[in-house]
Amino acid sequence: MKNAYQITYGTSILVFLLVILGSSVTKPVFQSFSQRTLETAGVKKSSIDSLDSRIDEMVYTVARVQLQIEKLKNLFSDREIDEGKYQKQRNEVFSKNIYNPVTELLIIFYRILFLCIGVFLFLSGVIIQLIYRGTELRYRVTALENKLELDGI
């Protein structure tokens, strides 16, 4: 019984450390939990990336048309056009605005869940220790009573 409460204390400490260090050291663990949860729910990262690349391709097509319009406007002038602002860019609209915030929200949810599990394990350890100490005390009192009866006191 003594081993049981020591194990629950140790496990609760590990879970607390996992929660406390969840934003730095154990972030990949929570990140994989949240990504697997989203995959199970049907939101696939590959689909989000595909959608983002299609949107980026459409934005790039519009930028090329705008570049052609600018070239036509400046056909008779000697002004240079900055083609750098018409280059293809990765905007990741859905990934940055939807997928990543939902992932962060799930990470917070999992950290709160693990915190509750840690508290439950700690309190279970306290209960097991109290039961163990109570039964051990009863055993010692009974042994003392038996010894006193044998001594004739």
Side-chain angles (χ1 to χ4, degrees), residues 4-153:
Y5 73 80
Q6 289 175 343
I7 289 171
T8 55
Y9 283 152
T11 307
S12 69
I13 289 171
L14 288 176
V15 171
F16 280 132
L17 285 176
L18 184 72
V19 169
I20 291 171
L21 301 175
S23 62
S24 58
V25 177
T26 59
K27 185 168 183 160
V29 173
F30 288 112
Q31 187 79 24
S32 68
F33 281 160
S34 63
Q35 286 176 349
R36 274 193 252 143
T37 302
L38 287 174
E39 290 278 333
T40 304
V43 179
K44 296 185 169 117
K45 178 70 172 153
S46 60
S47 300
I48 297 292
D49 290 339
S50 173
L51 187 60
D52 279 339
S53 66
R54 283 190 226 147
I55 290 172
D56 291 341
E57 193 64 40
M58 286 190 287
V59 170
Y60 177 63
T61 304
V62 169
R64 283 192 319 195
V65 170
Q66 286 177 341
L67 177 64
Q68 295 301 322
I69 292 171
E70 286 294 321
K71 284 182 179 179
L72 286 175
K73 283 182 185 178
N74 295 332
L75 187 62
F76 297 110
S77 70
D78 56 349
R79 215 175 57 169
E80 289 292 322
I81 299 173
D82 183 20
E83 293 188 17
K85 63 181 180 179
Y86 298 108
Q87 297 294 322
K88 189 171 186 176
Q89 299 174 348
R90 284 189 55 112
N91 295 322
E92 296 180 338
V93 175
F94 282 101
S95 183
K96 287 180 183 175
N97 296 322
I98 296 172
Y99 188 78
N100 291 344
V102 169
T103 304
E104 291 298 320
L105 182 69
L106 284 174
I107 287 173
I108 291 170
F109 171 75
Y110 278 123
R111 286 179 69 186
I112 291 171
L113 179 70
F114 275 74
L115 180 68
C116 292
I117 290 171
V119 169
F120 177 76
L121 285 173
F122 179 76
L123 293 177
S124 297
V126 168
I127 291 170
I128 292 171
Q129 184 178 8
L130 289 174
I131 291 170
Y132 171 70
R133 295 292 180 184
T135 55
E136 184 181 341
L137 183 63
R138 276 192 212 129
Y139 174 74
R140 282 193 265 154
V141 167
T142 306
L144 266 172
E145 287 175 347
N146 290 339
K147 191 173 189 178
L148 288 175
E149 286 178 6
L150 290 177
D151 290 340
I153 296 178

